[in-house]
Amino acid sequence: VSTQSTWDMKATKYNTESLVSFRRSLHSNPEIAFEEVQTQKAIEEYLHSLGVGKASIRRVAKTGLIIDIKGMGPSSGEDKIIAVRADIDALPMPEDNPQLPYHSKKKMAAHGCGHDGHTACLVGGIALVLDHIGKLPSNKTFRALFQPAEEGEEGAVQMIKDGALEGVSEVYGFHNWPTYKVGKAAITTGPMMGSHSLVSYTVRGRGGHSSEPEKACDSLIPAMEIHQAHRGLISSYQSRGFQVTSWLPHFHSGTVPNVIPDTTQVQGTFRSLTIGALDSFTSDFTTQAEEIAKRHKCHVDVTIRETDPILVNSVAETEIISKVAERILGDGNVVSDGVPVFASEDFAYYTQIVPGAFIFLGSGRINTMDDPMLHQSNFDFNGELIPVASRLWLELAAERLGLALE
């Protein structure tokens, strides 16, 4: 991995120490989906300090930003825009890092997924591109997408509606991944991260007094049978080679011990890395549930809603970012071990529209074997990754936009 001092030595706008401070400020002031008002403002202020003018900044998706960094060098070849995305939202959860001087100031908001770090890294990438702006052709544009509401609120969809991909030929993103140490990366072509769907079914029967069950139609009994049959259905899918997983852990039935409930509701998720599996599961599970409910003289309503599609990496763009990452990290440090994963990412919406690739950059601390994982209450983004990821975006601009580096 190239060192911070090597990168800072020639830079006039890029500064690792400043970016670390910026990241920690975001960490202590987390904002959840579509409430990232101060985060949006903080990004704008930092970019203004780098010399990015208002004309290059667009507010979109309520609390998001599109930043177009246009080259100032001699024009070369065809006009081209590549986009790089960072998510900026926090999770609606408490943070358990009292030892950190920059821990969250809010009881129910925390950067437990490292989006504060993703944001700082893209700002760092912009700073590095600006340090070489005279060598970026004037007909090439490095577009930075600061996206709100990645955590379950489909912020990417709103970004796209507001023009994030207009004129873009390819799009890239990364997620910090503490499973790997800093200096490692993981990526694969095709499915990289799973789809995510919310699954819910409500069984409607006829309630009654627990002393006279024969006069009632207990909704809980078919609900439990549907739940058990669901496990068998998923096992059959897996045995046929479908890469799927599904859990229905949330049960709600009844209010007091002596009343047989009219309704029972069960909720959970379905995740898939197999294209087309969701349609099959929706049909099979709905049919299965209806047959069981009917047998018990009850009715069932099944709802399955996809919130994130499968994130598919295109072949060419995967090869491009893999080559760029290996140039920075060294031979053998970009692997395909451990991917794809069932976790979901709304970056998937971008790659449904234009070719693109999403990569995991190791964020595990070199001397720690028990790093907190993403979404844990004591997670804290590893600042050692900031110069690495910032450099990745600069090298990508060099590779795809003809930015000449010394």
Side-chain angles (χ1 to χ4, degrees):
V1 180
S2 300
T3 64
Q4 166 192 335
S5 59
T6 300
W7 299 346
D8 283 351
M9 191 162 50
K10 295 181 180 179
T12 58
K13 297 183 182 295
Y14 175 87
N15 183 279
T16 300
E17 184 177 344
S18 173
L19 289 165
V20 168
S21 296
F22 174 66
R23 198 284 297 182
R24 291 180 176 180
S25 176
L26 295 179
H27 188 92
S28 65
N29 296 282
E31 295 174 304
I32 62 173
F34 291 122
E35 296 181 11
E36 309 93 331
V37 176
Q38 295 305 313
T39 302
Q40 182 190 58
K41 183 179 179 182
I43 296 168
E44 287 179 321
E45 288 177 350
Y46 198 111
L47 294 178
H48 288 323
S49 75
L50 298 177
V52 179
K54 292 183 179 180
S56 299
I57 300 175
R58 282 184 283 161
R59 288 190 172 188
V60 294
K62 188 177 180 180
T63 48
L65 294 167
I66 296 175
I67 316 297
D68 280 340
I69 306 299
K70 299 181 184 295
M72 296 180 66
S75 178
S76 176
E78 297 181 353
D79 296 355
K80 188 172 186 178
I81 303 173
I82 68 166
V84 173
R85 175 274 218 163
D87 36 17
I88 67 174
D89 57 321
L91 286 158
M93 62 178 283
E95 180 176 8
D96 185 20
N97 279 317
Q99 78 286 359
L100 295 179
Y102 52 88
H103 63 77
S104 175
K105 297 177 182 177
K106 301 179 180 179
K107 289 184 178 180
M108 281 302 295
H111 272 295
C113 204
H115 297 183
D116 51 341
H118 300 168
T119 301
C121 292
L122 184 49
V123 170
I126 291 172
L128 284 170
V129 170
L130 289 171
D131 279 329
H132 298 83
I133 198 67
K135 296 181 180 179
L136 178 65
S138 59
N139 61 332
K140 313 293 185 185
T141 300
F142 180 84
R143 176 171 292 174
L145 308 177
F146 291 97
Q147 180 206 305
E150 186 278 327
E151 296 289 355
E153 298 295 334
E154 299 181 352
V157 174
Q158 192 59 53
M159 291 287 289
I160 292 167
K161 287 181 180 177
D162 288 353
L165 297 181
E166 288 180 2
V168 171
S169 59
E170 52 204 71
V171 61
Y172 300 89
F174 90 89
H175 207 294
N176 81 96
W177 214 251
T179 304
Y180 307 95
K181 301 298 182 185
V182 171
K184 294 281 187 179
I187 191 171
T188 187
T189 57
M192 175 71 178
M193 299 185 74
S195 67
H196 174 266
S197 301
L198 298 174
V199 180
S200 175
Y201 65 90
T202 302
V203 179
R204 306 183 190 280
R206 185 175 65 253
H209 198 284
S210 62
S211 67
E212 298 179 308
E214 70 280 0
K215 295 181 180 180
C217 181
D218 189 351
S219 62
L220 181 58
I221 294 174
M224 290 191 297
E225 189 174 331
I226 291 170
H227 189 279
Q228 186 174 10
H230 160 267
R231 294 306 317 146
L233 180 61
I234 294 301
S235 294
S236 72
Y237 272 48
Q238 292 169 341
S239 68
R240 287 183 282 152
F242 285 72
Q243 289 182 286
V244 299
T245 187
S246 180
W247 294 96
L248 306 175
H250 185 215
F251 257 77
H252 180 78
S253 185
T255 55
V256 292
N258 63 343
V259 175
I260 297 171
D262 287 306
T263 63
T264 297
Q265 185 180 57
V266 182
Q267 295 176 312
T269 63
F270 176 83
R271 298 175 184 270
S272 175
L273 289 161
T274 301
I275 295 171
L278 175 60
D279 290 339
S280 297
F281 171 76
T282 299
S283 176
D284 292 345
F285 180 65
T286 300
T287 299
Q288 186 182 68
E290 289 174 345
E291 290 174 351
I292 292 171
K294 184 178 180 181
R295 194 161 60 242
H296 288 272
K297 298 181 180 179
C298 292
H299 176 76
V300 64
D301 294 314
V302 177
T303 301
I304 300 174
R305 181 175 69 87
E306 185 179 66
T307 59
D308 291 321
I310 298 172
L311 196 168
V312 179
N313 280 345
S314 53
V315 175
E317 283 64 33
T318 300
E319 292 176 352
I320 289 163
I321 200 164
S322 296
K323 179 175 69 173
V324 170
E326 194 160 52
R327 186 185 304 154
I328 297 167
L329 303 176
D331 293 344
N333 286 319
V334 179
V335 301
S336 58
D337 299 340
V339 290
V341 299
F342 279 117
S344 60
E345 240 288 353
D346 75 354
F347 187 86
Y349 287 106
Y350 297 115
T351 58
Q352 283 187 329
I353 297 173
V354 300
F358 196 78
I359 190 169
F360 294 161
L361 296 182
S363 59
R365 289 165 174 80
I366 302 298
N367 297 317
T368 304
M369 295 302 293
D370 58 349
D371 272 331
M373 294 293 106
L374 303 175
H375 289 213
Q376 286 185 213
S377 61
N378 61 338
F379 177 82
D380 179 38
F381 181 87
N382 186 355
E384 296 173 9
L385 185 56
I386 290 176
V388 179
S390 298
R391 184 72 182 190
L392 177 70
W393 298 143
L394 173 65
E395 294 281 356
L396 183 68
E399 181 72 23
R400 303 306 295 156
L401 298 175
L403 188 158
L405 298 177
E406 294 179 1

